[in-house]
Amino acid sequence: MDNREIITKIDKLKNTRNAVILAHNYQIDEVQDAADYVGDSFELSRLAAESDADVIVFCGVHFMAESAAILSPQKTVLLPDLSAGCPLANMITAEELQELKEKHPGAAVATYINSSAAVKALSDICVTSANAVRVVNSLEEDKILFVPDGNLAHFVAQRTEKTIIPWPGYCITHHRVSPEDIEKARTEHPHAVVVVHPECRPDVVALADEALGTGGMIKYARETEYEELIIGTEMGMLHRLRKEAPDKKFYLLSTGLICPNMKYTTLEKILSALENNQNVITVSAEVREGALKALQRMLSVS
Ligand code: SF4
């Protein structure tokens, strides 16, 4: 079957099953093009909650589908490839967070949305890369345990008066970018502005012109007077940016900016998930209750 035939079948099944396809900005181009909505994990979770679809096909990684299941427990959430996990989210377990909390009684726990439902359930509040500083500043406590991304924790620590206690997790994709990559890219594209994701290392963020989450990058790309942008986030983002700001030129900061887990989803797997109702993501009622509180508290701040 070629892609057109697969998409025709997907569209038919979408109608019969009242399904919606959500794709993360880092998905492969064909998947982004076949999706009803493309966005960052938080935007997509919100869309999942607000949509009147019965079935959500979440083209992303496991924690994203879990967030959709937490926010929309009455809907069926399908992850086209069950092995699509997030190495960053897997860098802290619920048991490790529990131990950390016991070591720091009285500290609040701010947890990046890139985390498992079980870790969210032990947290006071969730954050995204876009709202992390605002959310942390909204907390009453002065001491904040920030998990699991140490680079984002550093980014927040530089922009708040609070004491941030970071967990040493990192995104294997963004953490690979080095200051030398920035120097090289600036030499190759001297008129371009450098925009990186806050999941990059602090020495990379310090050399960039802007540090923004994927939603912020789209807005910036549309509005900036720069005609050329060097992008320091996962390569799938370039497809989205070229659609959103077709008059601009985009260059990937480093060839290492590829997340293998984000590339597992294919059109065939979307079709198969819908046809066979396979890879249903669920969250237990107990975990859901705590995780939902942390997510809703973030929503009330942002
Ligand atoms: S790009 Fe990084 S944070 Fe995103 S899914 Fe891949 S490993 Fe996780």
Side-chain angles (χ1 to χ4, degrees):
M1 249 189 303
D2 65 20
N3 281 357
R4 229 174 359 173
E5 287 171 289
I6 300 174
I7 290 169
T8 306
K9 285 195 163 199
I10 290 173
D11 284 342
K12 269 193 197 149
L13 275 165
K14 260 173 40 184
N15 284 334
T16 49
R17 297 205 59 195
N18 187 26
V20 66
I21 299 180
L22 307 181
H24 190 269
N25 290 319
Y26 298 163
Q27 292 288 294
I28 60 171
D29 300 358
E30 302 91 275
V31 169
Q32 289 194 33
D33 293 342
D36 297 296
Y37 301 99
V38 184
D40 60 33
S41 58
F42 182 60
E43 280 173 326
L44 295 179
S45 301
R46 255 191 142 145
L47 281 165
E50 287 161 10
S51 147
D52 56 9
D54 296 317
V55 178
I56 294 162
V57 183
F58 211 115
C59 305
V61 292
H62 192 267
F63 79 81
M64 297 176 183
E66 270 190 339
S67 294
I70 291 164
L71 291 165
S72 310
Q74 73 290 3
K75 293 173 188 161
T76 301
V77 179
L78 306 175
L79 183 67
D81 188 321
L82 270 189
S83 57
C86 168
L88 167 60
N90 295 339
M91 283 185 194
I92 189 164
T93 63
E95 291 71 29
E96 286 168 326
L97 178 54
Q98 187 55 43
E99 274 176 34
L100 187 70
K101 284 171 66 160
E102 283 161 19
K103 272 192 213 151
H104 298 279
V109 180
T111 295
Y112 191 26
I113 196 153
N114 296 28
S115 54
S116 69
V119 164
K120 287 186 179 82
L122 292 177
S123 308
D124 293 294
I125 197 160
C126 289
V127 307
T128 67
S129 54
N131 68 21
V133 176
R134 192 164 65 243
V135 168
V136 162
N137 282 338
S138 77
L139 297 170
E140 267 174 32
E141 294 86 346
D142 286 325
K143 212 161 127 187
I144 314 291
L145 307 178
F146 194 100
V147 305
D149 189 348
N151 289 340
L152 185 59
H154 187 275
F155 179 85
V156 173
Q158 285 195 317
R159 291 161 178 79
T160 181
E161 301 286 303
K162 309 262 183 196
T163 302
I164 303 288
I165 299 164
W167 183 259
Y170 56 90
C171 161
I172 52 166
T173 301
H174 288 90
H175 198 71
R176 244 182 245 138
V177 180
S178 67
E180 293 72 38
D181 289 324
I182 295 206
E183 279 166 33
K184 189 167 170 275
R186 282 201 196 274
T187 308
E188 284 168 10
H189 308 288
H191 305 298
V193 65
V194 177
V195 185
V196 301
H197 196 283
E199 285 173 20
C200 289
R201 287 165 24 184
D203 53 356
V204 168
V205 171
L207 287 176
D209 298 303
E210 301 286 343
L212 299 166
T214 52
M217 281 185 192
I218 292 167
K219 189 169 182 292
Y220 181 84
R222 283 197 204 117
E223 293 172 3
T224 182
E225 285 175 5
Y226 283 96
E227 289 172 3
E228 297 176 60
L229 293 89
I230 296 165
I231 299 296
T233 193
E234 210 280 338
M235 62 173 296
M237 189 65 194
L238 266 64
H239 184 65
R240 178 85 201 275
L241 285 167
R242 285 178 181 135
K243 279 185 159 178
E244 298 288 341
D247 52 326
K248 308 278 165 69
K249 280 191 180 147
F250 299 97
Y251 312 110
L252 192 64
L253 174 55
S254 155
T255 50
L257 278 164
I258 175 161
C259 173
N261 289 273
M262 280 288 183
K263 308 305 180 198
Y264 290 165
T265 313
T266 59
L267 293 176
E268 286 88 347
K269 288 177 191 171
I270 295 172
L271 177 59
S272 170
L274 269 172
E275 258 174 354
N276 307 310
N277 198 41
Q278 68 195 19
N279 305 345
V280 178
I281 303 299
T282 55
V283 176
S284 74
E286 193 193 341
V287 167
R288 180 180 174 261
E289 194 187 334
L292 184 63
K293 258 189 221 157
L295 281 166
Q296 282 177 333
R297 194 167 167 202
M298 170 180 75
L299 287 172
S300 73
V301 173
S302 57

